[in-house]
Amino acid sequence: METNPYVTDFYNHYDEDQRLCSRHGSVEFLTTMNYIQKYLTPGSRVLEIGAATGRYSHTLARQGYQVDAVELVEHNIEIFRKNTVQGENITIVQGNALDLSGFPDSWYDLTLLLGPLYHLYCDEDKEKALREAIRVTKEGGIIFAAYVISDGCLLDEGFHRGNIDVADYIKNGLVDGETFAARSEPKDLFELVRKEDIDRLMAPFPTVRLHYVATDGCALLMRESLDQMDDEKFQLYLKYHFTTCEREDFCGVTSHALDIFRKKATGK
């Protein structure tokens, strides 16, 4: 199975281990963990697909859950192993989200697909990754799938920070000049989608959506303000964010979204 060299090169040089550690970056982590905790029960078995350096996997293992992790990039796996502490019930193997043949059917209570869909650029590959995540999850189990949302990225990285040239993206066909829908290729690294793309992708699968979450909401757009907040104000912001992150009017502004769904039982 061919590996995207752009992804490997990016994570060989990017400090993924620190991405969620800043105050503004922690909003994504804290929001995701807030929802994960809703569905964990004593003895839950967890699989994280595309575990990167293991921020989620290690957190859950240190809470006493049995965690298996799959990661594509060897550099990330090395850091994952360095971050492992004594007493964690955790495994890590190198693998690809499109082929989890080493894992049995209907084995995990909770399956996390928090990164691979960022780097899959055609529906066929996205469907493979989702199908595999659903396959290894027990009937009635929960799957978390994360996406990069185009409008939040255009607002933050384009119109606000100027890290990308929106006009140039339109000129090169990466953004539609009328609808502002995005189109990505492997060299662009991140696949940018909208909720309607996710809805269409999920329609054929035997699942029930439980939550669709604006994972970081406006956190990246207002990162400087968040990073300057004292602890009391930041906690108040988090309370506000947790209260509003499923509102439809926030879900297009976020840079990352989380689709949380339950695998249906056979015949239902």
Side-chain angles (χ1 to χ4, degrees):
M1 186 173 299
E2 187 176 353
T3 299
N4 179 356
Y6 298 101
V7 171
T8 302
D9 182 66
F10 176 79
Y11 286 108
N12 280 339
H13 297 90
Y14 180 66
D15 190 359
E16 173 66 21
D17 202 39
Q18 294 299 311
R19 184 177 73 84
L20 301 175
C21 292
S22 66
R23 176 152 280 180
H24 69 267
S26 72
V27 174
E28 177 186 341
F29 174 77
L30 294 170
T31 304
T32 303
M33 286 301 305
N34 184 53
Y35 281 91
I36 288 173
Q37 298 292 346
K38 294 177 187 293
Y39 294 102
L40 288 169
T41 57
S44 285
R45 187 187 297 267
V46 179
L47 175 67
E48 184 173 12
I49 308 163
T53 57
R55 183 72 184 277
Y56 292 101
S57 288
H58 288 306
T59 298
L60 294 171
R62 290 167 194 173
Q63 291 177 0
Y65 298 99
Q66 181 174 340
V67 180
D68 295 325
V70 182
E71 170 55 27
L72 179 67
V73 180
E74 181 62 38
H75 175 69
N76 284 342
I77 294 173
E78 291 173 4
I79 299 172
F80 185 108
R81 287 175 173 147
K82 289 178 183 176
N83 289 341
T84 303
V85 299
Q86 187 174 3
E88 290 185 34
N89 191 357
I90 196 167
T91 68
I92 176 74
V93 296
Q94 188 169 28
N96 192 308
L98 304 183
D99 181 8
L100 300 176
S101 56
F103 295 88
D105 295 354
S106 304
W107 187 248
Y108 293 96
D109 302 283
L110 189 72
T111 300
L112 307 178
L113 191 68
L114 301 180
L117 293 165
Y118 296 177
H119 307 297
L120 298 176
Y121 309 93
C122 67
D123 283 354
E124 181 182 1
D125 284 348
K126 295 173 192 174
E127 289 166 3
K128 283 181 182 178
L130 287 162
R131 191 176 298 113
E132 282 289 79
I134 293 167
R135 178 185 65 78
V136 300
T137 306
K138 294 177 180 178
E139 292 185 357
I142 310 299
I143 300 102
F144 283 58
Y147 297 85
V148 182
I149 302 303
S150 60
D151 294 290
C153 292
L154 287 179
L155 286 169
D156 179 38
E157 297 290 347
F159 292 111
H160 187 202
R161 302 185 189 286
N163 292 333
I164 61 175
D165 187 330
V166 179
D168 192 55
Y169 269 45
I170 293 173
K171 179 180 177 181
N172 292 320
L174 296 175
V175 170
D176 186 292
E178 298 300 320
T179 66
F180 287 87
R183 179 182 65 83
S184 306
E185 298 176 352
K187 65 181 178 60
D188 304 311
L189 196 63
F190 292 98
E191 168 76 331
L192 306 180
V193 300
R194 285 173 163 170
K195 183 176 181 291
E196 55 261 37
D197 302 315
I198 301 169
D199 291 343
R200 175 179 51 80
L201 188 66
M202 290 303 301
F205 289 108
T207 60
V208 176
R209 177 175 285 157
L210 303 173
H211 309 276
Y212 181 84
V213 181
T215 325
D216 46 21
C218 296
L220 300 189
L221 192 62
M222 53 184 291
R223 66 185 71 187
E224 291 86 2
S225 297
L226 288 178
D227 290 346
Q228 292 173 12
M229 288 181 183
D230 60 27
D231 290 344
E232 183 178 2
K233 189 171 184 180
F234 182 63
Q235 290 303 315
L236 183 61
Y237 174 81
L238 282 178
K239 181 179 180 181
Y240 167 79
H241 172 68
F242 290 162
T243 302
T244 59
C245 62
E246 290 190 52
R247 286 178 56 107
E248 289 186 9
D249 46 356
F250 275 91
C251 287
V253 180
T254 190
S255 292
H256 298 84
L258 194 58
D259 198 18
I260 304 171
F261 48 92
R262 186 186 304 278
K263 179 178 176 177
K264 289 182 179 178
T266 303
K268 293 187 178 180

